[in-house]
Amino acid sequence: MEILKFIKMQGAGNNFVVFEDMEVKHNDLGTLAKKLCDRNFGIGGDGILVVRRSKIADIQMIIINSDGSYAGMCGNGIRCFAKYVYENNIVRKSEFTVETGDGIKVCHLFIEDNKVKAVKINMGRESFNPKFIPALGEEEIIKKDISANGKSYNITSLLLGVPHTVLLTEDGGFKVEEGAAIETHELFPQGTNVNFCRVVNRGEIKVNTWERGAGPTLACGTGCCSSVVVCNKLNLVDKSVKVMAPGGILTIEITDDGIMMTGPAENVFKGEIAV
């Protein structure tokens, strides 16, 4: 039995168990994630973030959802990860690269008194190509009507690190739990995250996310980015948008260099657990 040292962290309410595995001792990360993320019998979290060495970037981040499934990328998670590796002297630079399942991401840290107060991430670019989401069919899914669980939805889907589907709504128009039926819709062979988005004005939106493999979350970084991309594509918002999620506020900017996400990352507590 091993004693695993960890830090519980959160970014806009999206919470993670973060630990180092430089020697790759843990091969079954799916089982470990389910144990650690159990809110009754474990630590509790939306997923785990594993710190490993990288041959192609400054450091590598592995993300496993609370249900044990692998995630290529997580916007709130990578901000927490960046804070962790800086404050634990693993990568001691204010700007560095992270290897993820969605390629190499560049992190820019805002530091005060030797502590990371916020992190800006270049999230890369989106793709509406259904082959990359992946989704069935050859046409882009833009304002497409579907039926799920006996109800009709108008959706737009894309890949931004992970699959995302965005629905425009008014307050109270949908319950976030309805995302479960859309997540597993036959259109998406590998499932999809689902974002219920309300446009407040051209510079501000509200987003509630049903996260694939985790369920309702207080915030989803890639989901907030995807919602801004979709709303901008439909000419509903500008290129710099404040996104209000239940757990906090993120700033998303669409630039020539990629989609930039800026937001907080905080330590909740640290501890040890037998695994």
Side-chain angles (χ1 to χ4, degrees):
M1 182 175 292
E2 177 190 352
I3 301 301
L4 182 70
K5 295 182 178 180
F6 70 89
I7 293 183
K8 177 78 175 287
M9 303 185 72
Q10 65 90 9
N14 208 186
N15 52 96
F16 308 92
V17 179
V18 190
F19 63 90
E20 299 167 33
D21 187 26
M22 297 297 196
E23 306 305 323
V24 194
K25 294 180 179 179
H26 300 282
N27 295 314
D28 189 356
L29 291 176
T31 298
L32 183 59
K34 288 190 280 188
K35 173 183 172 66
L36 297 180
C37 294
D38 191 297
R39 299 187 187 276
N40 295 307
F41 298 101
I43 300 163
D46 295 320
I48 64 172
L49 306 177
V50 186
V51 183
R52 285 184 175 169
R53 293 186 178 91
S54 172
K55 294 181 179 179
I56 58 175
D58 290 309
I59 198 69
Q60 179 185 182
M61 175 181 70
I62 296 177
I63 312 157
I64 308 293
N65 293 318
S66 59
D67 70 347
S69 61
Y70 172 81
M73 179 57 185
C74 174
N76 291 319
I78 197 172
R79 294 199 317 276
C80 292
F81 181 90
K83 178 181 174 73
Y84 179 97
V85 297
Y86 179 86
E87 293 184 354
N88 287 277
N89 298 310
I90 298 170
V91 181
R92 198 66 177 176
K93 297 189 287 187
S94 61
E95 185 170 295
F96 56 85
T97 56
V98 178
E99 178 186 351
T100 75
D102 185 45
I104 296 175
K105 304 299 179 185
V106 179
C107 305
H108 178 80
L109 279 53
F110 298 89
I111 301 166
E112 295 179 13
D113 299 324
N114 216 29
K115 297 293 183 183
V116 177
K117 297 300 181 183
V119 182
K120 177 184 281 190
I121 307 291
N122 186 332
M123 301 290 286
R125 298 188 181 280
E126 76 283 359
S127 174
F128 286 90
N129 189 326
K131 143 173 113 168
F132 298 130
I133 295 174
L136 301 181
E138 298 182 357
E139 295 184 356
E140 292 184 347
I141 302 171
I142 308 291
K143 300 190 72 175
K144 178 183 177 67
D145 291 321
I146 67 167
S147 178
N149 202 25
K151 193 168 182 177
S152 295
Y153 301 94
N154 186 266
I155 66 170
T156 299
S157 298
L158 67 160
L159 179 75
L160 185 55
V162 289
H164 274 283
T165 293
V166 178
L167 296 84
L168 297 175
T169 181
E170 298 296 328
D171 280 342
F174 298 103
K175 295 180 179 179
V176 70
E177 289 78 11
E178 293 180 50
I182 302 171
E183 175 194 353
T184 56
H185 191 276
E186 61 184 10
L187 190 60
F188 306 105
Q190 296 180 20
T192 181
N193 298 277
V194 185
N195 307 278
F196 298 93
C197 173
R198 183 172 80 83
V199 177
V200 179
N201 53 54
R202 294 196 65 85
E204 189 173 312
I205 65 175
K206 292 183 177 181
V207 177
N208 284 281
T209 300
W210 173 274
E211 199 163 332
R212 181 184 64 167
T217 56
L218 293 178
C220 173
T222 53
C224 290
C225 291
S226 297
S227 297
V228 170
V229 168
V230 168
C231 289
N232 180 261
K233 186 178 182 69
L234 299 177
N235 196 28
L236 300 174
V237 300
D238 298 326
K239 290 189 175 182
S240 180
V241 180
K242 180 170 71 173
V243 182
M244 295 178 290
I249 297 173
L250 302 176
T251 299
I252 311 299
E253 300 169 89
I254 301 173
T255 75
D256 293 338
D257 295 324
I259 301 161
M260 304 295 181
M261 174 195 64
T262 304
E266 297 181 355
N267 296 329
V268 180
F269 61 87
K270 66 171 67 174
E272 299 178 346
I273 187 171
V275 297

